[in-house]
Amino acid sequence: MAAPGRRGAGLVRAALRVWQPGLYATGERVTPLPSLVGCQRRCVSCVAGITFSGPRLASASRQYGQGSALDRFLGFPESDNSLTSCVPAVSMHRDEQDLLLVHHPDMPENPRVLRVVLLGAPNAGKSTLSNQLLGRKVFPVSKKVHTTRCQALGVITDKEAQILLDTPGIISPVKQKRHHLEPSLLEDPWKSMESADLVVVLVDVSDKWTRNQLSPQVIRCLTQFSQVPSILVMNKVDCLKQKSVLLELTAALTEGVVSGKKLKMRQAFDSHLVTHCPNPAAKEPNTQSVESPQGTGWPHFQEIFMLSALSQEDVKTLKQYLLAQAQPGPWEFHSGVLTSQTPEEICANIIREKLLEHLPQEVPYNVQQKTLVWEEGPSGELVIQQKLLVPKESHVRLLIGPKGHLISRIAQEVGRDLMDIFLCDVQIHLCVKHLK
């Protein structure tokens, strides 16, 4: 029998309550509700819940990572990690978020600021890296391209320094039309670069098709704004079996020059070395010069970082570097601001993330979203109802899934993410309809 204290923790208002279609889960038993079987063709209204209780609270907390919202809800001690400590939540009320965005910044005596633009090919890991730097997931993450559909800032505030993280997507007109993306995305990178203090170029070194050179759009951005300092971040190095490949990639992506000096690298990389190369031109034993063909990279990077965006320890090194680059200047936001997105935009993006993750090929790109209800429930929970409009009847059945299991899973995953963003209980209703 569980101890009284642990049982008491289980009686706290449901640490996670997500409404889903056709399922009611208590403990580990999941029972389908037959009432939905006959109404799957046109619309599914989601009604269900999940409650964590008893000794399983700790394990439930661990699946969200150390320092998660669930940890704080349940009273577990916070992790002593600089990426997650003192990370503000996002208000679930739009008016509160809007007021906070225009609130006079609570600057210290000697404020410093750095505006960072994160550039990279689609699916290079920009959102994953951004979320790790922020210490809370506020940007959608998916293996499919073009998950993020609107430009938004992330705000990192640490002591005297404030970093404004801008992640504009770089797309071509052809892909903009193919994926039905907003036309403004074509202009976002150029607008962001105009006010940038530092450019972070992210490259997925696990992608054999794109890793050997920077995309033409990235090179064009760097060339037009050559006065803006830039650094290279080689992401997903943990996926490489042979770390020696990083020698060739570094040479190609930097054209053999870093910080104005001819590049010299160690002949071999330790299999556990995933780190910052602060002075790649420094003379060390067992080094060699590396040549690179012209036109594949950018010869004006000031620094090189090699990391996995999934590793908090790796990202911590990059975060400390960015904080050190902040220059004296007034903050733009209050320290309680984590993102410039509205609560509704965050929710729509997270739902889109799950659609991209669970639906095949081009299907998720054709789903239209419409928020019908966004309100606070009687117990302080966030109640959301969103309609998902799909163009084909076959896509309706695909999105709902057998006995409503797929849309149920999507609702559950969305609810968990939103709880960790807003630090409140979430009830989410997803309605799927055929767009005639």
Side-chain angles (χ1 to χ4, degrees):
M1 186 174 180
R6 179 65 74 180
R7 292 182 60 192
L11 297 177
V12 175
R13 177 166 50 95
L16 176 62
R17 183 182 299 137
V18 186
W19 286 17
Q20 312 168 59
L23 294 178
Y24 178 77
T26 303
E28 295 183 347
R29 294 189 59 190
V30 180
T31 305
L33 296 180
S35 60
L36 287 179
V37 174
C39 61
Q40 290 183 13
R41 285 185 61 82
R42 297 290 179 184
C43 181
V44 169
S45 181
C46 315
V47 182
I50 290 180
T51 303
F52 292 111
S53 61
R56 285 148 31 89
L57 285 173
S59 61
S61 170
R62 280 196 293 271
Q63 69 176 300
Y64 302 107
Q66 292 183 335
S68 70
L70 187 53
D71 279 340
R72 288 183 285 278
F73 250 90
L74 301 176
F76 292 111
E78 293 189 23
S79 166
D80 185 22
N81 187 300
S82 62
L83 290 179
T84 57
S85 60
C86 302
V87 179
V90 179
S91 173
M92 67 177 180
H93 301 291
R94 183 167 187 169
D95 54 348
E96 290 183 4
Q97 175 73 349
D98 289 343
L99 285 174
L100 191 59
L101 288 171
V102 299
H103 195 281
H104 185 71
D106 52 340
M107 292 183 293
E109 186 175 348
N110 300 303
R112 296 182 296 118
V113 67
L114 183 74
R115 192 175 189 105
V116 177
V117 173
L118 182 56
L119 296 181
N123 211 27
K126 296 187 295 294
S127 294
T128 300
L129 179 59
S130 299
N131 289 333
Q132 283 280 35
L133 287 168
L134 291 168
R136 193 182 300 284
K137 180 180 177 180
V138 295
F139 295 115
V141 177
S142 171
K143 294 180 180 179
K144 288 191 175 73
V145 298
H146 308 308
T147 308
T148 304
R149 300 285 290 267
C150 60
Q151 188 175 15
L153 290 177
V155 182
I156 304 169
T157 303
D158 189 297
K159 299 178 181 177
E160 295 181 342
Q162 186 170 87
I163 299 174
L164 308 180
L165 192 60
D166 196 353
T167 59
I170 294 184
I171 62 172
S172 65
V174 173
K175 291 185 178 180
Q176 180 263 324
K177 292 182 180 179
R178 179 190 303 168
H179 297 293
H180 310 287
L181 303 175
E182 288 72 11
S184 61
L185 292 178
L186 293 171
E187 303 175 0
D188 286 345
W190 311 101
K191 291 181 179 178
S192 299
M193 292 291 290
E194 290 176 357
S195 57
D197 299 315
L198 179 70
V199 182
V200 176
V201 177
L202 190 66
V203 176
D204 175 6
V205 297
S206 71
D207 190 333
K208 296 180 180 180
W209 300 103
T210 62
R211 68 187 184 186
N212 294 300
Q213 61 182 20
L214 300 178
S215 72
Q217 293 95 335
V218 168
I219 293 179
R220 192 156 51 245
C221 252
L222 292 172
T223 302
Q224 182 166 336
F225 297 92
S226 59
Q227 76 282 4
V228 181
S230 58
I231 65 173
L232 172 65
V233 175
M234 302 170 72
N235 188 27
K236 305 184 185 181
V237 297
D238 56 314
C239 298
L240 292 180
K241 294 182 179 180
Q242 295 182 338
K243 296 298 187 287
S244 59
V245 174
L246 291 171
L247 279 171
E248 302 172 8
L249 297 179
T250 302
L253 296 171
T254 64
E255 295 191 351
V257 179
V258 176
S259 194
K261 299 178 181 179
K262 191 155 183 141
L263 183 63
K264 293 184 178 181
M265 299 289 290
R266 292 176 180 171
Q267 289 183 334
F269 283 81
D270 187 305
S271 60
H272 300 291
L273 181 61
V274 183
T275 187
H276 169 215
C277 300
N279 189 1
K283 293 184 179 181
E284 297 180 8
N286 299 322
T287 62
Q288 65 176 6
S289 296
V290 263
E291 301 294 339
S292 167
Q294 297 297 309
T296 60
W298 180 244
H300 304 292
F301 288 121
Q302 293 189 348
E303 303 282 357
I304 305 173
F305 287 81
M306 302 176 188
L307 51 78
S308 166
L310 295 174
S311 168
Q312 288 189 348
E313 198 60 37
D314 289 352
V315 175
K316 181 179 179 180
T317 303
L318 175 60
K319 179 180 177 180
Q320 290 173 339
Y321 172 83
L322 296 178
L323 290 170
Q325 302 308 304
Q327 299 298 311
W331 288 1
E332 293 191 31
F333 295 99
H334 188 276
S335 61
V337 174
L338 189 64
T339 177
S340 62
Q341 300 173 92
T342 66
E344 292 87 350
E345 286 174 340
I346 293 175
C347 176
N349 285 335
I350 295 298
I351 292 175
R352 184 180 300 111
E353 168 195 313
K354 307 307 178 185
L355 296 176
L356 289 168
E357 181 177 346
H358 291 291
L359 296 177
Q361 300 174 353
E362 298 294 314
V363 175
Y365 295 101
N366 296 317
V367 177
Q368 298 181 25
Q369 300 172 248
K370 184 177 181 180
T371 300
L372 304 178
V373 175
W374 186 287
E375 62 186 18
E376 183 175 349
S379 300
E381 73 276 15
L382 174 59
V383 180
I384 305 169
Q385 182 177 349
Q386 186 167 116
K387 182 183 295 184
L388 305 178
L389 302 171
V390 292
K392 296 182 180 180
E393 185 75 24
S394 59
H395 292 176
V396 173
R397 295 191 294 269
L398 186 65
L399 178 52
I400 293 173
K403 298 182 180 180
H405 287 323
L406 180 56
I407 193 65
S408 170
R409 182 177 178 181
I410 290 173
Q412 179 180 356
E413 293 177 0
V414 169
R416 286 175 175 171
D417 283 353
L418 294 181
M419 191 206 76
D420 202 46
I421 294 170
F422 300 123
L423 295 189
C424 68
D425 290 349
V426 174
Q427 298 177 354
I428 181 164
H429 308 249
L430 295 179
C431 181
V432 182
K433 298 197 71 174
H434 180 211
L435 181 62
K436 297 181 181 181

